[in-house]
Amino acid sequence: PESAQPENAKPERAQPERAQPASLFCVGDDWQAIYRFSGADVSLTTGFRQYFGPSSQNVLDQTFRFNDRIGNTATQFVSQNPEQISKEIRSLSKADKPSVSILQCEVNTKSNDFLLHQALADIDSQVRVKGRAQHTKQVSTVYILGRFWFQLPDKETLKKLNQQYPDLQIRSLSIHAAKGKEADYAILTGMSQGQHGFPASKVTSPLLEALLPVEETYPNAEERRLFYVALTRAKHKVYILADKNQPSPFVSELMGPAFDVEIVKCA
């Protein structure tokens, strides 16, 4: 009570609370860092210790999302960048043949729609064969993916495709929107070169560029990671619709002898 304190007594100071031990737990994958345009900085992952100090690391090296043939091709492509963290991804599912297929037209006048139907017809055939073997009706999911939304089928076209292939559930997504999702099969469209190709060569305005994290020195570093994300959305097989007139540099690279891909010439 105040009445019990001497007149000349000094008020007691509040003792500061002792700091409690704290830990920081983070999960990240630099191979899927695709949001620099919104301010994300891949170096927060690749240079984690520089920002947060000494730490221990646990590697999540097994995937249940895609088979080993997709995983090997996607890993070989994305790991060309030496500034990224080197890692080995093990796939639970094993495939006995190439699971990345590049579709090319022999005739220049053939449209992208022609290749799209070629891919869907092949998927539909596989699903039917599997259904007959298991004596059940199989329904498989298919993502049509594009670097930009305008490269994808519109709502009416998508409705017609689903009616034409009733054993397939077909959706269209931009690759950014597809991150974190998965389907049985994926079809990559818009695989050309140029401003709205893949990799996109659209120039960012200097004002916006000044507000973003420093761009990496490795050519098309983030676009390569975006392509990795696209390749790894499928569980069973990926179809890449190649542009014969203006081929994407990414497609040209995959068609080299070092990659485990299937090249299909469509007449």
Short mmCIF file of all heavy atoms in Angstrom, two decimals, residues 119-141:
data_model
loop_
_atom_site.label_atom_id
_atom_site.label_comp_id
_atom_site.label_asym_id
_atom_site.label_seq_id
_atom_site.Cartn_x
_atom_site.Cartn_y
_atom_site.Cartn_z
N ALA A 119 -2.76 -34.09 -79.23
CA ALA A 119 -2.38 -34.42 -77.85
C ALA A 119 -3.57 -34.99 -77.08
O ALA A 119 -3.46 -36.00 -76.39
CB ALA A 119 -1.83 -33.18 -77.15
N LEU A 120 -4.74 -34.34 -77.20
CA LEU A 120 -5.92 -34.80 -76.48
C LEU A 120 -6.37 -36.18 -76.96
O LEU A 120 -6.78 -37.03 -76.15
CB LEU A 120 -7.06 -33.80 -76.65
CG LEU A 120 -6.89 -32.46 -75.90
CD1 LEU A 120 -7.96 -31.47 -76.32
CD2 LEU A 120 -6.93 -32.68 -74.39
N ALA A 121 -6.27 -36.43 -78.26
CA ALA A 121 -6.65 -37.73 -78.79
C ALA A 121 -5.72 -38.83 -78.26
O ALA A 121 -6.18 -39.94 -77.94
CB ALA A 121 -6.62 -37.70 -80.32
N ASP A 122 -4.44 -38.52 -78.15
CA ASP A 122 -3.49 -39.50 -77.63
C ASP A 122 -3.77 -39.79 -76.15
O ASP A 122 -3.73 -40.95 -75.72
CB ASP A 122 -2.07 -38.98 -77.80
CG ASP A 122 -1.03 -40.05 -77.50
OD1 ASP A 122 -1.00 -41.07 -78.21
OD2 ASP A 122 -0.25 -39.87 -76.54
N ILE A 123 -4.05 -38.74 -75.38
CA ILE A 123 -4.39 -38.93 -73.96
C ILE A 123 -5.65 -39.76 -73.83
O ILE A 123 -5.73 -40.71 -73.03
CB ILE A 123 -4.55 -37.57 -73.26
CG1 ILE A 123 -3.23 -36.80 -73.25
CG2 ILE A 123 -5.06 -37.76 -71.84
CD1 ILE A 123 -3.36 -35.36 -72.80
N ASP A 124 -6.66 -39.40 -74.64
CA ASP A 124 -7.95 -40.11 -74.59
C ASP A 124 -7.75 -41.60 -74.89
O ASP A 124 -8.36 -42.46 -74.24
CB ASP A 124 -8.90 -39.48 -75.59
CG ASP A 124 -10.33 -39.99 -75.45
OD1 ASP A 124 -10.91 -39.85 -74.36
OD2 ASP A 124 -10.84 -40.57 -76.43
N SER A 125 -6.90 -41.90 -75.85
CA SER A 125 -6.63 -43.29 -76.21
C SER A 125 -5.98 -44.04 -75.06
O SER A 125 -6.36 -45.19 -74.75
CB SER A 125 -5.72 -43.34 -77.44
OG SER A 125 -5.37 -44.67 -77.76
N GLN A 126 -5.02 -43.40 -74.40
CA GLN A 126 -4.36 -44.04 -73.25
C GLN A 126 -5.35 -44.31 -72.12
O GLN A 126 -5.30 -45.38 -71.48
CB GLN A 126 -3.23 -43.15 -72.75
CG GLN A 126 -2.07 -43.00 -73.71
CD GLN A 126 -0.97 -42.11 -73.14
OE1 GLN A 126 -0.43 -42.39 -72.07
NE2 GLN A 126 -0.66 -41.03 -73.83
N VAL A 127 -6.23 -43.35 -71.87
CA VAL A 127 -7.20 -43.50 -70.79
C VAL A 127 -8.16 -44.64 -71.09
O VAL A 127 -8.51 -45.44 -70.20
CB VAL A 127 -7.97 -42.17 -70.58
CG1 VAL A 127 -9.13 -42.37 -69.59
CG2 VAL A 127 -7.01 -41.09 -70.08
N ARG A 128 -8.59 -44.77 -72.34
CA ARG A 128 -9.51 -45.84 -72.72
C ARG A 128 -8.85 -47.21 -72.60
O ARG A 128 -9.47 -48.17 -72.13
CB ARG A 128 -10.02 -45.61 -74.15
CG ARG A 128 -10.98 -44.43 -74.28
CD ARG A 128 -11.36 -44.20 -75.73
NE ARG A 128 -12.24 -43.06 -75.87
CZ ARG A 128 -13.57 -43.14 -75.80
NH1 ARG A 128 -14.15 -44.31 -75.58
NH2 ARG A 128 -14.31 -42.05 -75.94
N VAL A 129 -7.60 -47.29 -73.04
CA VAL A 129 -6.86 -48.56 -72.94
C VAL A 129 -6.72 -48.97 -71.48
O VAL A 129 -6.92 -50.14 -71.11
CB VAL A 129 -5.47 -48.44 -73.61
CG1 VAL A 129 -4.60 -49.65 -73.27
CG2 VAL A 129 -5.62 -48.31 -75.11
N LYS A 130 -6.40 -48.02 -70.64
CA LYS A 130 -6.26 -48.30 -69.21
C LYS A 130 -7.59 -48.73 -68.60
O LYS A 130 -7.64 -49.63 -67.77
CB LYS A 130 -5.72 -47.05 -68.49
CG LYS A 130 -5.38 -47.28 -67.03
CD LYS A 130 -4.78 -46.03 -66.41
CE LYS A 130 -4.46 -46.25 -64.94
NZ LYS A 130 -3.88 -45.02 -64.32
N GLY A 131 -8.66 -48.10 -69.03
CA GLY A 131 -9.98 -48.45 -68.52
C GLY A 131 -10.38 -49.86 -68.90
O GLY A 131 -10.93 -50.61 -68.08
N ARG A 132 -10.08 -50.24 -70.17
CA ARG A 132 -10.41 -51.60 -70.61
C ARG A 132 -9.59 -52.64 -69.85
O ARG A 132 -10.08 -53.70 -69.50
CB ARG A 132 -10.18 -51.72 -72.11
CG ARG A 132 -11.22 -51.03 -72.97
CD ARG A 132 -11.16 -51.49 -74.41
NE ARG A 132 -9.91 -51.10 -75.04
CZ ARG A 132 -9.72 -49.97 -75.72
NH1 ARG A 132 -10.73 -49.11 -75.85
NH2 ARG A 132 -8.57 -49.69 -76.28
N ALA A 133 -8.32 -52.29 -69.59
CA ALA A 133 -7.44 -53.24 -68.88
C ALA A 133 -7.91 -53.46 -67.45
O ALA A 133 -7.79 -54.55 -66.89
CB ALA A 133 -6.01 -52.73 -68.90
N GLN A 134 -8.47 -52.41 -66.84
CA GLN A 134 -8.90 -52.51 -65.45
C GLN A 134 -10.40 -52.75 -65.32
O GLN A 134 -10.93 -52.80 -64.20
CB GLN A 134 -8.49 -51.23 -64.69
CG GLN A 134 -6.99 -51.01 -64.64
CD GLN A 134 -6.60 -49.75 -63.88
OE1 GLN A 134 -7.46 -49.00 -63.40
NE2 GLN A 134 -5.31 -49.52 -63.75
N HIS A 135 -11.10 -52.85 -66.47
CA HIS A 135 -12.54 -53.10 -66.51
C HIS A 135 -13.32 -52.03 -65.73
O HIS A 135 -14.31 -52.31 -65.04
CB HIS A 135 -12.87 -54.49 -65.94
CG HIS A 135 -12.14 -55.60 -66.63
ND1 HIS A 135 -12.44 -56.02 -67.91
CD2 HIS A 135 -11.09 -56.38 -66.21
CE1 HIS A 135 -11.63 -57.00 -68.25
NE2 HIS A 135 -10.81 -57.24 -67.24
N THR A 136 -12.83 -50.80 -65.83
CA THR A 136 -13.51 -49.67 -65.19
C THR A 136 -13.47 -48.48 -66.13
O THR A 136 -12.64 -48.41 -67.03
CB THR A 136 -12.84 -49.26 -63.87
OG1 THR A 136 -11.47 -48.90 -64.12
CG2 THR A 136 -12.89 -50.39 -62.85
N LYS A 137 -14.36 -47.54 -65.92
CA LYS A 137 -14.35 -46.31 -66.70
C LYS A 137 -13.36 -45.34 -66.06
O LYS A 137 -13.49 -44.98 -64.90
CB LYS A 137 -15.75 -45.68 -66.74
CG LYS A 137 -15.79 -44.37 -67.54
CD LYS A 137 -17.20 -43.83 -67.60
CE LYS A 137 -17.25 -42.46 -68.27
NZ LYS A 137 -16.73 -42.48 -69.65
N GLN A 138 -12.36 -44.98 -66.82
CA GLN A 138 -11.33 -44.08 -66.32
C GLN A 138 -11.64 -42.64 -66.72
O GLN A 138 -12.05 -42.38 -67.86
CB GLN A 138 -9.96 -44.48 -66.89
CG GLN A 138 -9.48 -45.86 -66.47
CD GLN A 138 -9.01 -45.87 -65.04
OE1 GLN A 138 -8.39 -44.93 -64.56
NE2 GLN A 138 -9.31 -46.96 -64.32
N VAL A 139 -11.47 -41.71 -65.81
CA VAL A 139 -11.58 -40.28 -66.11
C VAL A 139 -10.29 -39.63 -65.62
O VAL A 139 -9.93 -39.73 -64.45
CB VAL A 139 -12.80 -39.64 -65.41
CG1 VAL A 139 -12.83 -38.14 -65.69
CG2 VAL A 139 -14.09 -40.29 -65.88
N SER A 140 -9.58 -38.99 -66.55
CA SER A 140 -8.30 -38.38 -66.20
C SER A 140 -8.37 -36.86 -66.34
O SER A 140 -9.12 -36.33 -67.17
CB SER A 140 -7.19 -38.92 -67.11
OG SER A 140 -6.94 -40.28 -66.84
N THR A 141 -7.57 -36.17 -65.53
CA THR A 141 -7.53 -34.71 -65.56
C THR A 141 -6.42 -34.24 -66.50
O THR A 141 -5.35 -34.85 -66.58
CB THR A 141 -7.27 -34.15 -64.16
OG1 THR A 141 -6.09 -34.76 -63.60
CG2 THR A 141 -8.45 -34.43 -63.24
#
